[in-house]
Amino acid sequence: MIKILITSVGSLVGQNILDSLETRRSQLEVIGLNSVAANQRVFRCDRAYLVPPVEEVGEFTPRFLSIIREESPHLILAGRDADVVFLAKFKENFPEYFQTIPCGSSEMSEMMWDKYESFLFAQRHQIPFAESFLYRNLDDREALVSFVQKQGFPLVAKPRKGFASKGVFYITNNDQIEVWVRQNTEILFQEFLGDLEQVEKHKHLTQLGLPHFFQIPESNHTSAQNIFSPDGKLLGSLVTNHIMIGGKAESLELFTDSTAESFVNLCAEKYGKLGWTGVLNFQFKKDIHGNWKIFELNPRIL
């Protein structure tokens, strides 16, 4: 019997993993960790453990260590990007779990967790990535103006560290830029990729008031799920196109565009050669010139 342990099993990623394992459960034992006991997904596991949030490293680590020593899982999968950062550091401190935890170095996992560092890393290694600018404070005001003039509207504003499309906005004019600047907080501004018409078509709705339900439809959300061997060799990629509703993939289909497949292979092989192992998901779209660019990295299962 194969044992799979899933951290943050109550997350959306945890749900996706559980869904994919559903028809194979006779061959598996699924062990879930979660910091919220009442989350309904923990009841889909064979056994579930209540743990502190992974961000509380001093409390989480000994609890995690005692569980995996008791359960001896064959595979440990992360339910959130923050979990990957923890697991990467953990297996460096406990190398006996190197084969059990499918991820790369802590340095690379932290880079992928930080959206601005992801951009800088891609620039250093000639990986096509959406142009990005990190606004920190008023000292960056002049550079932000130059970035806006160069990229034009719309822009994407997002937290430097975040997940599940939370806190992501489309910026369509300078007045909205000013609102972000006045908040005096770090925010990442990113080149817009994808279907410009959808933004133009829907931005007028906010001028009528605040819609009870609102989102800009996204039907060209392209994603690549890549798997690497422990030595960083690319073992395979799955490219899919998603219909996104409320930041969640409601449906997907295989995406067979030859230019996209070539782009995925080129980028994935670079990340593997640079030290990543296990699983890496990245999302990508075309810019206004028709060139594919990555705009988001997720060092875990989709």
Side-chain angles (χ1 to χ4, degrees), residues 20-288:
S20 67
L21 296 177
E22 193 67 33
T23 60
R24 301 171 176 84
R25 290 297 290 271
S26 63
Q27 308 165 46
L28 305 170
E29 276 190 292
V30 176
I31 302 139
L33 309 185
N34 213 58
S35 60
V36 179
N39 189 294
Q40 71 275 17
R41 290 168 191 150
V42 303
F43 299 101
R44 297 178 63 186
C45 302
D46 295 297
R47 285 182 299 287
Y49 291 86
L50 182 64
V51 295
V54 71
E55 291 80 5
E56 298 174 10
V57 178
E59 295 181 18
F60 180 83
T61 303
R63 176 70 169 145
F64 177 73
L65 189 56
S66 68
I67 292 169
I68 62 174
R69 283 176 173 168
E70 178 180 344
E71 292 286 357
S72 297
H74 298 92
L75 185 64
I76 298 174
L77 298 177
R80 299 185 305 145
D81 292 349
D83 296 2
V84 180
V85 176
F86 169 83
L87 290 172
K89 293 179 180 178
F90 179 85
K91 79 173 190 177
E92 290 172 357
N93 292 323
F94 297 89
E96 62 266 35
Y97 294 104
F98 179 84
Q99 297 288 350
T100 309
I101 300 173
C103 68
S105 68
S106 59
E107 182 179 4
M108 287 195 74
S109 66
E110 287 179 332
M111 172 272 291
M112 295 179 188
W113 174 231
D114 185 318
K115 295 176 177 24
Y116 188 56
E117 289 298 325
S118 297
F119 164 68
L120 296 178
F121 183 90
Q123 276 199 321
R124 289 196 297 271
H125 298 288
Q126 293 79 52
I127 298 171
F129 204 99
E131 292 294 326
S132 303
F133 178 83
L134 181 64
Y135 179 85
R136 300 178 179 87
N137 52 47
L138 288 174
D139 291 339
D140 294 325
R141 181 66 176 270
E142 186 175 338
L144 175 59
V145 170
S146 297
F147 180 80
V148 173
Q149 289 176 342
K150 179 179 179 181
Q151 297 301 326
F153 294 112
L155 292 169
V156 179
K158 58 176 69 173
R160 182 174 185 174
K161 297 180 179 180
F163 61 96
S165 301
K166 294 180 179 179
V168 177
F169 288 80
Y170 290 117
I171 305 299
T172 60
N173 57 59
N174 281 307
D175 290 340
Q176 293 170 347
I177 292 284
E178 289 300 315
V179 172
W180 284 105
V181 168
R182 287 198 297 271
Q183 291 188 45
N184 196 32
T185 185
E186 274 194 347
I187 190 73
L188 186 78
F189 292 97
Q190 195 174 74
E191 169 189 9
F192 175 83
L193 304 175
D195 190 349
L196 183 61
E197 289 185 6
Q198 288 287 6
V199 176
E200 294 297 323
K201 181 179 176 182
H202 287 84
K203 73 178 183 181
H204 75 281
L205 289 177
T206 57
Q207 298 169 358
L208 302 174
L210 187 63
H212 184 53
F213 297 107
F214 180 75
Q215 77 155 40
I216 296 177
E218 193 171 9
S219 58
N220 64 339
H221 184 96
T222 312
S223 177
Q225 187 76 40
N226 308 284
I227 300 179
F228 301 87
S229 66
D231 61 359
K233 181 181 178 182
L234 180 63
L235 299 177
S237 300
L238 180 68
V239 185
T240 49
N241 193 65
H242 301 229
I243 294 177
M244 306 294 291
I245 305 295
K248 299 178 182 179
E250 291 296 326
S251 67
L252 61 88
E253 60 183 9
L254 289 176
F255 191 66
T256 56
D257 183 283
S258 59
T259 64
E261 292 172 356
S262 297
F263 174 79
V264 167
N265 288 333
L266 172 68
C267 295
E269 286 178 356
K270 282 194 175 184
Y271 283 111
K273 289 176 181 177
L274 291 166
W276 191 250
T277 66
V279 181
L280 171 62
N281 169 267
F282 56 76
Q283 297 154 39
F284 60 104
K285 293 181 179 180
K286 286 183 177 179
D287 65 10
I288 60 173

Side-chain angles (χ1 to χ4, degrees), residues 6-15 18 33-36 39-42 79:
I6 306 168
T7 67
S8 300
V9 74
S11 67
L12 179 59
V13 173
Q15 173 184 289
L18 289 169
L33 309 185
N34 213 58
S35 60
V36 179
N39 189 294
Q40 71 275 17
R41 290 168 191 150
V42 303

